[in-house]
Amino acid sequence: MVLKSKEKQWVAKKPGDPIYTQQLVQELAIDEVLASLLVQRGLKNSEEVKRFFSPSLSALHNPFLMKDMEAAVQRLHRAVESREKILVYGDYDVDGTSAVALVYSFLKRLTYNIDYYIPDRYDEGYGISFHGVDWAFENKCTLVIALDCGIKEGEAVKYASEKGIDFIICDHHLPGEQLPPAIATLDPKREDCTYPYDDLSGCGVGFKLVQGYAQKYGIPFEQIESLLDLVAVSIAADLVSVTGENRVLAFYGLKRLNESPRKGLLSMIKLSGLEKHKITIDDVVFKIGPRINAAGRMESGRMAVDLLTSDDIAEANRIGKEINDHNNERKSIDRTITQQAVAIVRSHPQFASLNSTVVYNPEWHKGVVGIVASRLVEAFYKPTIVLTKSSNGFISGSARSIAGFDLYDAIESCADLLENFGGHTYAAGLTLKEENLEAFRQRFESIVTKNITKEILTPIINIDARLEFKQITPKFFRLLNQFQPFGPGNQAPVFMTTSVYDNGNVKVIGNPVGGKGGHLKLELIQEDAPYRPLSAIAFNMSEYYNHLADGNPVDICYSIAENFYRFSMTNLQLRIKDIREGKDTTI
């Protein structure tokens, strides 16, 4: 059933099969709502639930099921044994820098003849650059391990081969028609690769290489388990699925992140104000990841690897503070550019009639255009591209999509107007000549209009279950918490509750950039529930203040989280996704 609020559709998911749901209610003595949520996730008996709640490292797949793993491990071992100079090369984002830190940290225990390289975001761009190959040659590197990149850089890999440099590629992006001429290409998305799980992060593929090497040459798994904090960070920051093997990696990576993180991540945890909290995927996505990313956006991605590989707490704190300062600078620039971009869209009426948003300003900082594109999607909910002038004279930028629309396919249809592009369904980067901008803008809009529907342009909130406040007990939340780690493929459940009221203390707080006003801080009650107000936060929904302050009922959809305050105290908090005025119990 579908209901509409002012801007969003609420869509109730099909409940779990009632037979399996009742079976779990009996076997586990749990609330029927929780049992239904488990069945929705494909769990049909108590043994499957046990494995879901307590993932095992034994469930990790054999790395040699991945195509080319044997060749990769053998070539790496030959380099280690003969003391060849090895270069660990990776992208400048969180996935890339964490992958480089992981493989470098492992290999430096085996060889002193090793270095790492992160391409400059502005001078070299994404992927394996010819400049990077020249640097490897000048520094006498004969083996390069490319992480989170390389699957489409055939020309650069061929260039390296001509200089006597071998490549092992560890990537997770979709390959092109031809694979690069590398010694080994590890990518579970290869058509000829039968590896059982294909949604690893780039760092995750790097970990499989390390796992394969350790397995073949007698290194106990316990010696590589300490690397899992980096894998968890990459899974969260790169928004890959938290299912299957990734769920196991994320579960144990978060455990290490909470109990004994590496020194560089500990500095990020403290700078993020998380040292007294139980760190979750969301904490990495919204607090730790952006700080690490700021190194590549504002300065150099190498600084992030310096941080993540540091063994000295004083050095880690120094680098961490510098990166945090860059992040504060990034936030200031991001805020300013977002305000400017929103003003462009709102001051030009033609944008209202378009199905896409393409904005350009030659003065904008290239390092934040992806963030600004995401902000514009939040504000206007259309496929969005934000462009600026590059130092090489071209226009370049980032694109972000909305649920249900293949952005990469739309950009690929404009390939003849572009110098280069790359990405996936919901996020991409592109470069073009300035004289092609208007033609690109028109064609992109035409392709979006042809392929998008009114339904896609309406944001959807998928509701997992209906819930009454009296069901939200400490036991309910304790069991709900075991569904973590949350993320794509295992999102935090969204509940709907009807006819709730604020207890009279509703407040408007904050004033978000480019938003519709402030946030609402609420204490909510339900008439037939015990008088126990539930704390709630509703971002960018201050337009409901008067309705709630006057004592009127609302229907809400929300997730349930732990809210930390005063460093150690916690309480449950409803994170409201949407509000609908009045009583309506039809869903």
Side-chain angles (χ1 to χ4, degrees):
M1 180 172 295
V2 177
L3 292 172
K4 288 189 177 181
S5 67
K6 288 182 179 178
E7 296 180 351
K8 302 181 177 72
Q9 287 188 356
W10 299 11
V11 179
K13 292 182 182 176
K14 184 180 179 181
D17 184 291
I19 295 175
Y20 293 118
T21 297
Q22 289 306 315
Q23 182 178 320
L24 291 182
V25 169
Q26 296 299 320
E27 290 179 355
L28 303 175
I30 60 174
D31 186 281
E32 187 172 330
V33 169
L34 291 171
S36 178
L37 292 174
L38 290 166
V39 176
Q40 282 178 338
R41 284 158 173 73
L43 309 171
K44 298 177 181 178
N45 58 59
S46 56
E47 282 302 309
E48 291 177 351
V49 173
K50 182 179 178 181
R51 288 194 294 271
F52 178 73
F53 281 168
S54 301
S56 171
L57 287 168
S58 65
L60 295 178
H61 301 303
N62 182 345
F64 289 96
L65 295 174
M66 193 175 293
K67 184 78 172 177
D68 280 3
M69 182 61 76
E70 183 68 40
V73 166
Q74 287 187 13
R75 179 65 185 92
L76 177 56
H77 187 62
R78 190 166 87 240
V80 170
E81 289 291 291
S82 60
R83 301 301 179 191
E84 291 180 58
K85 181 75 173 287
I86 301 171
L87 183 66
V88 186
Y89 186 116
D91 189 23
Y92 40 71
D93 69 1
V94 178
D95 191 14
T97 54
S98 62
V100 169
L102 184 149
V103 174
Y104 178 82
S105 296
F106 173 74
L107 289 178
K108 74 175 182 179
R109 306 172 192 168
L110 307 177
T111 178
Y112 65 87
N113 212 8
I114 186 168
D115 205 343
Y116 52 84
Y117 186 93
I118 305 293
D120 184 270
R121 186 183 198 108
Y122 306 107
D123 293 338
E124 298 172 76
Y126 169 80
I128 300 165
S129 69
F130 285 85
H131 181 275
V133 172
D134 288 339
W135 191 96
F137 180 75
E138 291 163 8
N139 286 273
K140 299 180 171 54
C141 301
T142 53
L143 176 64
V144 177
I145 302 172
L147 295 148
D148 191 34
C149 62
I151 197 66
K152 288 187 176 179
E153 273 82 60
E155 289 302 313
V157 174
K158 181 182 177 183
Y159 177 67
S161 180
E162 293 167 354
K163 289 178 170 288
I165 300 170
D166 289 337
F167 260 82
I168 295 172
I169 290 172
C170 302
D171 207 344
H172 69 133
H173 297 99
L174 283 169
E177 291 183 6
Q178 284 190 322
L179 293 175
I183 293 295
T185 300
L186 306 180
D187 188 335
K189 290 188 175 70
R190 284 178 58 170
E191 284 190 8
D192 59 347
C193 182
T194 58
Y195 190 73
Y197 189 78
D198 69 356
D199 203 25
L200 294 168
S201 64
C203 184
V205 179
F207 180 78
K208 299 308 291 189
L209 172 64
V210 165
Q211 184 190 0
Y213 189 97
Q215 186 173 308
K216 187 172 181 68
Y217 297 105
I219 298 172
F221 186 86
E222 291 73 23
Q223 292 188 25
I224 65 171
E225 194 174 345
S226 62
L227 302 170
L228 290 178
D229 54 358
L230 291 167
V231 183
V233 166
S234 76
I235 287 170
D238 221 51
L239 298 176
V240 293
S241 298
V242 187
T243 59
E245 189 166 37
N246 276 348
R247 180 173 173 81
V248 180
L249 294 167
F251 183 90
Y252 284 93
L254 286 171
K255 188 173 187 292
R256 181 159 290 274
L257 199 59
N258 279 284
E259 295 174 1
S260 54
R262 66 192 52 245
K263 293 177 176 62
L265 287 175
L266 180 60
S267 75
M268 289 288 95
I269 289 167
K270 290 180 176 178
L271 287 163
S272 303
L274 296 171
E275 64 268 33
K276 300 292 185 181
H277 299 185
K278 182 179 179 182
I279 298 165
T280 66
I281 290 284
D282 272 0
D283 291 323
V284 178
V285 171
F286 295 109
K287 295 183 179 181
I288 296 173
R291 284 173 166 81
I292 297 173
N293 243 340
R297 291 185 187 281
M298 308 304 296
E299 185 66 27
S300 167
R302 187 177 176 92
M303 186 185 298
V305 183
D306 292 343
L307 172 77
L308 297 174
T309 56
S310 176
D311 292 323
D312 180 80
I313 191 64
E315 178 190 45
N317 288 338
R318 177 188 60 77
I319 300 172
K321 183 181 182 306
E322 189 172 349
I323 288 177
N324 195 58
D325 290 342
H326 286 312
N327 187 55
N328 289 334
E329 181 186 0
R330 187 272 307 165
K331 286 193 289 187
S332 176
I333 293 171
D334 159 22
R335 187 179 299 111
T336 298
I337 294 177
T338 298
Q339 288 172 335
Q340 293 171 354
V342 168
I344 289 173
V345 176
R346 288 183 173 161
S347 62
H348 291 79
Q350 67 266 30
F351 278 104
S353 62
L354 299 177
N355 291 310
S356 67
T357 303
V358 180
V359 291
Y360 167 63
N361 184 321
E363 303 301 320
W364 286 342
H365 194 294
K366 186 180 176 183
V368 302
V369 291
I371 299 171
V372 174
S374 296
R375 301 270 193 264
L376 293 184
V377 169
E378 291 173 13
F380 303 107
Y381 206 70
K382 297 176 182 180
T384 297
I385 301 176
V386 179
L387 299 164
T388 188
K389 195 76 166 279
S390 296
S391 56
N392 59 10
F394 290 111
I395 289 175
S396 65
S398 292
R400 297 292 183 268
S401 194
I402 59 178
F405 184 77
D406 192 331
L407 179 77
Y408 183 85
D409 188 58
I411 291 174
E412 189 175 36
S413 299
C414 305
D416 59 302
L417 297 171
L418 303 174
E419 297 303 300
N420 55 63
F421 64 95
H424 51 80
T425 302
Y426 293 117
L430 62 158
T431 301
L432 66 157
K433 293 177 180 176
E434 189 162 8
E435 57 262 34
N436 289 337
L437 174 58
E438 193 53 39
F440 169 77
R441 194 196 305 263
Q442 291 178 16
R443 189 184 306 171
F444 182 72
E445 167 64 19
S446 174
I447 292 165
V448 172
T449 299
K450 182 179 177 181
N451 292 283
I452 210 160
T453 64
K454 186 178 180 180
E455 288 72 26
I456 292 175
L457 285 167
T458 303
I460 290 175
I461 298 177
N462 289 305
I463 297 170
D464 293 85
R466 184 165 180 159
L467 195 64
E468 303 300 313
F469 277 4
K470 62 187 176 185
Q471 294 174 272
I472 306 175
T473 64
K475 179 183 178 182
F476 181 94
F477 181 72
R478 187 171 65 251
L479 289 169
L480 183 66
N481 224 18
Q482 291 185 57
F483 284 58
Q484 295 203 52
F486 295 129
N490 183 46
Q491 296 286 5
V494 175
F495 303 105
M496 173 186 173
T497 303
T498 60
S499 299
V500 303
Y501 302 79
D502 183 76
N503 70 350
N505 293 313
V506 58
K507 297 175 183 174
V508 177
I509 59 174
N511 188 18
V513 174
K516 308 164 191 174
H519 317 308
L520 290 180
K521 185 172 175 57
L522 305 154
E523 295 290 330
L524 295 176
I525 56 177
Q526 194 176 27
E527 286 181 347
D528 61 347
Y531 186 78
R532 181 172 57 90
L534 289 173
S535 174
I537 186 77
F539 294 110
N540 300 325
M541 297 186 202
S542 61
E543 67 266 29
Y544 293 101
Y545 173 81
N546 290 333
H547 182 85
L548 285 156
D550 290 340
N552 295 306
V554 293
D555 301 338
I556 57 172
C557 53
Y558 56 92
S559 59
I560 308 174
E562 248 177 333
N563 185 44
F564 293 86
Y565 64 103
R566 296 178 184 173
F567 300 103
S568 60
M569 297 174 66
T570 64
N571 70 331
L572 297 186
Q573 184 180 69
L574 309 186
R575 305 282 174 83
I576 295 181
K577 309 287 186 182
D578 201 17
I579 294 173
R580 193 178 60 215
E581 295 178 4
K583 285 190 175 183
D584 191 333
T585 59
T586 57
I587 194 168

